[in-house]
Amino acid sequence: MVAKRVSPIEDSYRYCEEMIKRNSKSFYFAFKQLSKEKANAVFAIYTFCRKADDSVDENNTKVSQKVSLDQLEAELRLFEQGKEIDHPMWLALRDVFNRYNMDIAPFYDQLKGQRMDIDFKKPKTLLELENYSYYVAGTVGLMLLPIIAEDSTLDLREQSISLGIAMQITNILRDIGEDYSRKNRIYLPESLLKSELYSEYDLKNAKINIQFIRIWELLAHRAEELYDHFYESIFYFDEDSRFQVLLAARIYRGILNTIRKNDYDCFHTRNFVSPLEMKKIHQATCYDMKGQVSS
């Protein structure tokens, strides 16, 4: 029996699917339920964002980080000119751009966000944190928008950015200990640390006290406000995409409740939504989508 031949584009999408499957089980769980064409498009976009992130996180010096990011930006410029290199990610993205009304600008903004990590400066205020979060995560919402809201009659850019920022704040609250110990980065706004008299020494010693919890909860409540803002417009997204997007948002939001259940330990505990909890969120989302979506 002759094996079925796989086309170059199918092979490229498989590469992207393996990338998201290996690096983000929660996103993969949600978005694999899209139609094959839309799921493939999401996987390709995820792969670009993953490579942008890895350009910084997998290099140990500023020089090597900038070289890696410069290379990715050069490849993006070639892609913009229709001269992309022969690589599975770029081949997949070309197919995505051919199929959907894509905007190249958020891809460049994503790289700008990664450069902000190379020359990292602790945010002074919540506004500065949200500005940073737009570049590294709000941009992802804008990249996905032409795929998941292709037929929408409403401009959903603000809602998509809100979801991305909410997810980034969730990331920050989950990774407080790792960001400090491994990357020497403090994403908690300086104004909040000062107002609660919570010092870098406290952070270094993984001190979880009432001051830390107040800082954490203030940021968590802001993320939850942004999730809620996104939820309000869920029925304006494409009918074949809204369930999957809502599921992804709810699973990610679930990380916040996991941290609460683990007594706010963002230093020694790996906080994630378990497969069992994902199934519960899936069931609840199925129920809600039959009627009024609740937050």
Side-chain angles (χ1 to χ4, degrees):
M1 183 176 178
V2 179
K4 182 181 177 181
R5 295 183 64 182
V6 178
S7 70
I9 189 61
E10 288 177 312
D11 197 43
S12 295
Y13 278 128
R14 283 186 184 179
Y15 169 88
C16 295
E17 182 173 0
E18 284 303 312
M19 181 71 79
I20 189 173
K21 189 176 181 180
R22 184 168 62 250
N23 289 284
S24 181
K25 290 180 174 57
S26 57
F27 281 147
Y28 184 66
F29 177 79
F31 286 122
K32 72 178 180 180
Q33 299 177 65
L34 287 166
S35 67
K36 186 174 181 60
E37 180 183 304
K38 288 194 172 187
N40 279 339
V42 172
F43 299 159
I45 289 169
Y46 175 89
T47 300
F48 173 84
C49 296
R50 179 81 259 165
K51 285 188 176 295
D53 195 59
D54 288 347
S55 294
V56 177
D57 288 347
E58 293 190 352
N59 287 285
N60 296 323
T61 67
K62 282 190 176 184
V63 171
S64 59
Q65 289 170 337
K66 288 180 178 178
V67 167
S68 182
L69 209 53
D70 286 346
Q71 176 61 37
L72 185 58
E73 184 167 349
E75 291 176 11
L76 179 61
R77 294 197 182 283
L78 287 173
F79 176 82
E80 185 180 14
Q81 297 165 16
K83 303 174 183 177
E84 62 271 6
I85 65 171
D86 185 12
H87 184 279
M89 180 188 76
W90 293 117
L91 294 178
L93 281 175
R94 175 55 62 202
D95 190 59
V96 173
F97 270 68
N98 287 341
R99 290 175 183 270
Y100 298 96
N101 185 27
M102 299 295 292
D103 181 6
I104 198 74
F107 290 79
Y108 284 108
D109 277 351
Q110 167 70 206
L111 299 185
K112 181 177 179 179
Q114 299 302 328
R115 293 190 189 280
M116 292 168 76
D117 270 337
I118 295 176
D119 298 311
F120 178 74
K121 294 179 181 177
K122 180 168 51 175
K124 290 184 171 59
T125 63
L126 178 57
L127 184 61
E128 285 190 11
L129 176 62
E130 290 190 20
N131 181 61
Y132 160 80
S133 296
Y134 159 74
Y135 282 102
V136 296
T139 53
V140 182
L142 293 180
M143 292 177 199
L144 295 177
L145 195 55
I147 298 158
I148 59 178
E150 187 177 15
D151 301 321
S152 180
T153 58
L154 187 70
D155 184 348
L156 294 168
R157 285 176 293 182
E158 183 183 336
Q159 289 84 353
S160 297
I161 291 170
S162 290
L163 178 59
I165 293 174
M167 287 180 164
Q168 181 60 25
I169 293 175
T170 302
N171 277 342
I172 287 167
L173 292 173
R174 179 194 62 193
D175 298 336
I176 290 171
E178 181 181 350
D179 284 336
Y180 183 76
S181 61
R182 290 187 55 200
K183 305 173 185 176
N184 195 32
R185 296 180 198 159
I186 302 174
Y187 289 103
L188 305 177
E190 191 175 322
S191 60
L192 295 183
L193 294 172
K194 285 183 177 180
S195 67
E196 291 295 339
L197 302 178
Y198 190 86
S199 67
E200 185 171 341
Y201 179 81
D202 293 330
L203 194 62
K204 182 179 180 180
N205 287 277
K207 191 172 183 179
I208 302 172
N209 55 16
I210 190 64
Q211 289 82 7
F212 175 82
I213 292 171
R214 278 202 293 258
I215 294 167
W216 192 97
E217 281 290 358
L218 189 147
L219 292 174
H221 286 318
R222 177 53 181 157
E224 288 167 337
E225 286 177 354
L226 292 167
Y227 281 121
D228 288 342
H229 178 57
F230 162 75
Y231 294 164
E232 290 169 1
S233 302
I234 190 62
F235 284 108
Y236 289 97
F237 287 82
D238 291 349
E239 187 174 355
D240 66 353
S241 306
R242 61 183 66 139
F243 169 79
Q244 294 84 352
V245 178
L246 181 60
L247 179 61
R250 285 182 162 180
I251 289 173
Y252 227 74
R253 183 175 184 162
I255 294 171
L256 297 175
N257 286 330
T258 298
I259 297 169
R260 289 177 174 122
K261 290 175 184 177
N262 289 330
D263 297 322
Y264 299 93
D265 187 357
C266 313
F267 300 96
H268 308 111
T269 301
R270 183 169 172 259
N271 294 290
F272 63 95
V273 178
S274 69
L276 178 60
E277 190 61 29
M278 282 189 196
K279 289 181 180 178
K280 289 180 180 178
I281 295 171
H282 183 279
Q283 291 170 350
T285 304
C286 285
Y287 177 81
D288 288 337
M289 289 301 289
K290 292 177 181 177
Q292 181 71 29
V293 175
S294 69
S295 60

